């Protein structure tokens, strides 16, 4: 008897936690597990700002899938670009650009998210994201290159524009990115005697009225004060009206000479979601509390790709797209898959938020574990302790801890490593948002599988 095929799409927090649980809990031969992912690592996304600022090396936050799995899972090196739920086939573009069909009996959609953009003139061509490892490495090179180019320039206007930096998004990603990179440039400018430190300006803007509202008023005010004391100009209730290679126009009318625009204003579910032609909530697949997709036999979705009802609240809320929820959803969904295989009832996902941590670089941090408000070194200890413990392999833990210790002792370095291309890369170049198929294209690719060919 051929064992049922479980296909997991995505190697983020949700997908990897689901696979790990399945590997530990399923009996040998009970099911075949396959994982679709273009990269052979799980990206520890919350530490990307520290990669961008050079505190951590890129390899430190790329947790090897080969080390963290039990070798029962077949890894398909590519990205899912369409799903034919009727034929029970997922269309995958491998890293060689070959398009293949992956049939399944159970499908787990943990495809994650991409950077959310808006119809703002010049945005997608001139902004850089902070969603992938390549983007973090690219931004580090780009920021350091602006210091090098400003130092070499004889044109005061060019120099001023290269030393202005804008980060859009007052959530965790944007705030930590602005804080960590501002610290990098503050330390780096000491190596540039021709540059006036006062010319380096960092701007953090967000259309929301508060910075990281999840922190609450008191901790939010503390975080805002830390940023302002460092010289970061924070503008709330403001966004980008248009962007060009050499300036950014804000919605309040200000025009800022600037060659670095970092966009972290939220995320949107992977475009893979649209290929299923299913109901969505805020762009995410509408699923049951058990994380199954209504009307799609044995299809489940979780993480950033799914709108999972938050049963800890009573106002019809859905779970926020955070790593904390994704990890626990992965475990819960694995248990439900096993229950389905064994003809047992499924259980709804229920989890209360355990708090949050925000690392602002150096000794600055704010944290709220289990509702307890912390700031300064205690908050920093909690933030880094949480991130360190969440890393899935001892090798990754050792690399991150060593990097932190080296940075604390030796300080930052300011070497460009070659990611800075002559042609600036766009959001599409990093996140491949134009790679997905239309419904007709999906049917064409899966016709052979549906007919047994």
């Amino acid at each position: 008897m051929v064992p049922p095929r479980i296909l997991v799409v995505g190697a983020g927090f949700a997908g990897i936690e689901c696979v790990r649980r399945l590997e530990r809990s399923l009996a040998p031969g009970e099911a075949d597990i396959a994982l679709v992912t273009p990269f052979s690592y799980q990206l520890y996304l919350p530490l990307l700002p520290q990669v961008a600022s050079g505190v951590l090396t890129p390899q430190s936050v790329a947790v090897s899938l080969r080390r963290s799995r039990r070798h029962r899972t077949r890894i398909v090196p590519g990205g899912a670009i369409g799903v034919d739920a009727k034929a029970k086939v997922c269309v995958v573009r491998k890293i060689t650009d070959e398009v293949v069909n992956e049939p399944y009996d159970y499908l787990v959609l943990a495809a994650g998210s991409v950077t959310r953009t808006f119809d703002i003139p010049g945005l997608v061509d001139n902004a850089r994201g902070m969603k992938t490892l390549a983007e973090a490495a690219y931004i580090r090179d780009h920021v350091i290159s602006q210091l090098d180019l400003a130092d070499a320039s004889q044109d005061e206007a060019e120099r001023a524009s290269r030393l202005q930096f804008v980060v859009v998004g007052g959530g965790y990603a944007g705030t930590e990115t602005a804080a960590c990179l501002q610290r990098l440039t503050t330390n780096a400018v000491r190596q540039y005697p021709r540059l006036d430190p006062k010319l380096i300006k960092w701007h953090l803007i967000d259309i929301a009225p508060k910075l990281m509202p999840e922190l609450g008023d008191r901790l939010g005010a503390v975080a805002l004060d830390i940023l302002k004391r460092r010289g970061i100009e924070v503008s709330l209730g403001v966004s980008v009206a248009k962007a060009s290679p050499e300036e950014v126009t804000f919605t309040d009318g200000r025009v800022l000479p600037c060659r670095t625009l970092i966009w972290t204003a939220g995320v949107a579910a992977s475009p893979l979601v649209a290929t299923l032609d299913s109901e969505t909530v805020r762009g995410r697949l509408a699923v049951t509390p058990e994380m199954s997709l209504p009307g799609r036999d044995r299809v489940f979705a979780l993480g950033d790709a799914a709108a999972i009802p938050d049963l800890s609240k009573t106002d019809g809320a859905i779970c926020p797209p955070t790593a904390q929820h994704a990890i626990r959803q992965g475990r819960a969904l694995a248990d439900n898959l096993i229950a389905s295989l064994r003809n047992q009832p499924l259980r709804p996902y229920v989890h209360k938020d355990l708090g949050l941590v925000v690392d602002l670089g150096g000794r600055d941090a704010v944290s709220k574990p289990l509702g307890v408000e912390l700031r300064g070194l205690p908050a920093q200890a909690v933030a880094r302790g949480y991130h360190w413990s969440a890393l899935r392999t001892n090798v990754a833990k050792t690399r991150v801890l060593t990097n932190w210790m080296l940075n604390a002792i030796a300080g930052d370095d300011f070497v460009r490593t070659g990611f800075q291309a002559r042609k600036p890369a766009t959001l599409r170049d990093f996140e491949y948002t134009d790679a997905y198929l239309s419904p007709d294209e999906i049917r064409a690719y899966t016709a052979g599988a549906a007919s047994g060919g």
Side-chain angles (χ1 to χ4, degrees):
M1 181 177 178
V2 178
R5 298 161 296 189
I6 300 174
L7 184 66
V8 180
V9 175
F13 289 106
I16 289 300
E17 204 61 36
C18 180
V19 167
R20 284 168 57 88
R21 188 84 152 205
L22 289 172
E23 289 183 330
R24 286 194 299 267
S25 302
L26 286 173
E30 192 172 2
D32 285 336
I33 310 168
L35 174 66
V36 178
T37 173
F39 306 111
S40 61
Y41 61 79
Q42 176 196 0
L43 176 62
Y44 192 81
L45 197 64
L47 290 179
L48 274 189
Q50 295 191 33
V51 173
S53 63
V55 173
L56 297 176
T57 62
Q59 192 176 7
S60 302
V61 301
V63 183
S64 171
L65 298 183
R66 302 291 176 181
R67 287 183 181 272
S68 62
R69 53 186 276 277
R70 297 189 176 188
H71 306 290
R72 290 181 56 186
T73 300
R74 176 172 61 95
I75 296 179
V76 182
I81 56 175
V83 175
D84 187 335
K86 184 177 180 180
K88 288 187 174 294
V89 171
C90 180
V91 184
V92 177
R93 178 173 282 119
K94 297 173 72 173
I95 58 176
T96 59
D97 275 340
E98 176 190 4
V99 177
V100 298
N101 291 330
E102 283 290 334
Y104 64 84
D105 296 300
Y106 293 85
L107 178 63
V108 177
L109 293 170
S113 57
V114 296
T115 300
R116 181 180 63 185
T117 58
F118 301 94
D119 190 19
I120 298 173
L123 177 66
V124 296
D125 293 323
N126 297 292
R128 311 291 168 252
M130 271 290 290
K131 199 76 176 62
T132 68
L133 192 58
E135 284 174 314
Y138 180 94
I139 285 173
R140 171 174 162 75
D141 264 19
H142 173 79
V143 169
I144 295 173
S145 74
Q146 297 312 298
L147 299 181
D148 289 343
L149 291 166
D151 183 62
S153 177
Q154 303 297 320
D155 186 325
E156 291 300 323
E158 178 191 353
R159 178 177 291 187
S161 70
R162 293 196 182 279
L163 297 179
Q164 297 250 40
F165 305 90
V166 175
V167 178
V168 183
Y172 306 126
T175 302
E176 290 186 333
T177 296
C180 290
L181 286 172
Q182 184 272 340
R183 183 173 177 270
L184 172 68
T185 56
T186 297
N187 293 334
V189 77
R190 300 168 188 166
Q191 310 297 320
Y192 297 84
R194 296 179 67 251
L195 292 183
D196 183 355
K198 295 180 181 178
L199 290 177
I200 299 178
K201 301 290 184 182
W202 280 89
H203 303 260
L204 176 62
I205 71 171
D206 196 290
I207 196 65
K210 292 183 179 180
L211 189 72
M212 293 184 293
E214 298 87 351
L215 284 173
D217 290 341
R218 285 189 297 182
L219 274 189
V222 170
L224 183 60
D225 182 62
I226 289 171
L227 298 179
K228 288 184 174 179
R229 281 192 288 106
R230 287 201 193 169
I232 299 175
E233 183 174 322
V234 180
S235 300
L236 300 174
V238 176
S239 188
V240 172
K242 63 180 179 178
S244 72
E246 297 184 10
E247 68 179 26
V248 176
T249 302
F250 295 161
T251 52
D252 62 4
R254 284 180 290 165
V255 179
L256 192 72
C258 169
R259 306 196 187 205
T260 305
L261 175 60
I262 302 173
W263 184 267
T264 67
V267 296
S270 166
L272 181 66
V273 164
T275 72
L276 278 93
D277 192 27
S278 295
E279 182 184 352
T280 60
V281 177
R282 302 177 199 170
R284 299 157 66 185
L285 288 169
V287 297
T288 68
E290 294 78 19
M291 293 173 280
S292 65
L293 189 61
R296 303 295 188 213
D297 183 38
R298 295 179 177 178
V299 177
F300 299 82
L302 70 167
D304 291 3
I308 301 173
D310 189 345
L311 300 184
S312 68
K313 300 178 181 178
T314 58
D315 56 356
I318 60 176
C319 296
T322 65
Q324 183 183 143
H325 277 284
I327 289 170
R328 288 157 179 81
Q329 288 166 8
R331 296 171 188 162
L333 182 51
D335 291 341
N336 278 345
L337 281 170
I338 294 168
S340 180
L341 286 167
R342 298 173 182 174
N343 296 314
Q344 298 170 352
L346 309 188
R347 294 182 178 180
Y349 170 73
V350 182
H351 170 67
K352 291 185 178 180
D353 201 325
L354 299 179
L356 48 90
V357 295
V358 183
D359 189 336
L360 299 175
R363 298 183 177 184
D364 293 327
V366 290
S367 300
K368 197 176 182 181
L370 299 174
V372 179
E373 296 185 352
L374 301 173
R375 62 191 72 179
L377 285 177
Q380 182 69 281
V382 169
R384 295 204 169 182
Y386 172 79
H387 290 314
W388 184 83
S389 65
L391 294 165
R392 289 306 181 194
T393 68
N394 289 331
V395 171
K397 289 181 178 181
T398 301
R399 285 193 177 121
V400 166
L401 186 60
T402 301
N403 282 181
W404 279 338
M405 293 175 62
L406 182 61
N407 182 259
I409 295 170
D412 298 324
D413 69 79
F414 318 108
V415 177
R416 284 185 284 120
T417 53
F419 287 100
Q420 171 64 29
R422 291 179 180 273
K423 179 183 177 182
T426 67
L427 290 169
R428 293 192 189 95
D429 294 326
F430 286 116
E431 300 187 30
Y432 311 106
T433 53
D434 56 352
Y436 298 86
L437 300 178
S438 68
D440 288 342
E441 290 172 322
I442 294 171
R443 284 191 290 271
Y445 275 112
T446 61
S451 63

